[in-house]
Amino acid sequence: MNKPIRGVEGSLPAEEQVAEFLMAHPEFFERHASVLARLRLPHQRGSAAVSLVERQVLVLREKHGSLEKKLHELIEYGRANDAIVDRVHRLTRRLLRARDTAGVVAAIETSLREDFGASRWVLLATDPALARLADLNNAHVRVVPRGSAELRIFETFFESGRPRSGQIRDTQRDYLFGGEGSQVGSTVLVPLGERAALGLLAIASHDTERFLPTMSTDFLVRIGEIVTEAMSARQA
């Protein structure tokens, strides 16, 4: 037989004791179904009282709704990632088909415009091995030696060697995009090479919400690696 719960000197048991007893004896309400039916609890959304069973049903519904929402979010994230994977795959195929440096730049331009919806982009080459890019006379390509004073505005970026997204400094925006900088809403800076040794790829959008500081940079790292390999292979 289960021992009754008692408080000090015959007083009513403390709430903790009641809770411990019910946790230790989950079959209590099976033996005392009438007690379960008579229990009334305040409704969380109003003053009306509901039975314990109804409260449990409400709690389960809320948990179900929360899990359903979470599942929907995960599905949307998965779809978004799949779309990005497809875009990166198309970029990779275009770069593989490029026969020379001019072809690589053309592949980048087509992919950024058609697949990634970039409003503007600039490939800033800082490594001497890429000096021949200047011969392309392409408005999207700029060759500037790494030690140049004008690149000091990117000093922290080069030191970190990690992609950045969101709003960039006005001086960086104006340097990269000139008079069209005022039309840039958000930007990503992608390092090229180990610790951006080859330079950077800047991608801009009119939309201020297109590239956010909170976005994952994993795919940006992959894009940087792919472009770096393509540029290095054509320079060899």
Side-chain angles (χ1 to χ4, degrees):
M1 177 179 293
N2 294 321
K3 296 176 62 177
I5 54 175
R6 300 180 182 278
V8 179
E9 298 180 355
S11 61
L12 292 176
E15 292 182 1
E16 292 78 6
Q17 292 176 294
V18 176
E20 290 177 3
F21 176 84
L22 293 177
M23 291 293 292
H25 303 85
E27 76 285 353
F28 175 83
F29 288 112
E30 295 180 6
R31 299 196 308 271
H32 302 278
S34 60
V35 175
L36 179 62
R38 291 198 303 270
L39 285 176
R40 310 298 292 178
L41 303 174
H43 196 293
Q44 290 181 333
R45 296 188 178 88
S47 58
V50 297
S51 70
L52 181 59
V53 174
E54 289 174 317
R55 168 64 70 81
Q56 289 176 320
V57 170
L58 289 173
V59 170
L60 290 175
R61 283 177 178 173
E62 290 177 354
K63 287 184 178 180
H64 174 74
S66 177
L67 290 174
E68 190 175 51
K69 180 181 178 181
K70 189 65 176 179
L71 177 60
H72 177 73
E73 291 176 352
L74 291 174
I75 291 174
E76 290 301 314
Y77 289 149
R79 288 174 177 170
N81 285 338
D82 286 344
I84 296 176
V85 168
D86 287 341
R87 294 166 189 162
V88 174
H89 180 64
R90 287 195 290 271
L91 169 62
T92 303
R93 292 185 62 188
R94 287 191 174 100
L95 291 174
L96 287 173
R97 291 195 297 266
R99 297 184 177 182
D100 52 24
T101 304
V104 169
V105 173
I108 296 172
E109 180 173 9
T110 300
S111 186
L112 293 181
R113 184 181 68 252
E114 297 183 1
D115 298 331
F116 293 91
S119 304
R120 291 166 180 79
W121 69 276
V122 172
L123 194 159
L124 180 60
T126 61
D127 189 90
L130 301 180
R132 284 184 293 177
L133 286 173
D135 298 336
L136 298 177
N137 293 320
N138 189 304
H140 295 287
V141 178
R142 195 176 306 171
V143 178
V144 182
R146 183 64 173 265
S148 299
E150 60 193 86
L151 295 183
R152 289 177 183 171
I153 55 177
F154 298 102
E155 186 174 1
T156 57
F157 171 79
F158 287 130
E159 288 177 354
S160 70
R162 297 290 301 172
R164 292 186 182 178
S165 60
Q167 302 291 326
I168 60 176
R169 290 156 52 187
D170 291 347
T171 52
Q172 295 174 332
R173 183 196 63 202
D174 294 341
Y175 177 80
L176 291 170
F177 306 108
E180 298 179 335
S182 60
Q183 302 177 37
V184 171
S186 56
T187 308
V188 293
L189 300 181
V190 182
L192 300 178
E194 186 71 22
R195 297 183 64 85
L198 272 67
L200 65 86
L201 177 64
I203 308 170
S205 172
H206 294 303
D207 187 358
T208 57
E209 302 294 316
R210 180 67 178 86
F211 303 119
L212 298 173
T214 55
M215 68 181 292
S216 173
T217 59
D218 291 344
F219 286 110
L220 297 178
V221 171
R222 301 294 177 265
I223 291 173
E225 292 173 345
I226 294 168
V227 172
T228 296
E229 290 297 328
M231 296 297 300
S232 300
R234 300 312 184 278
Q235 294 296 319

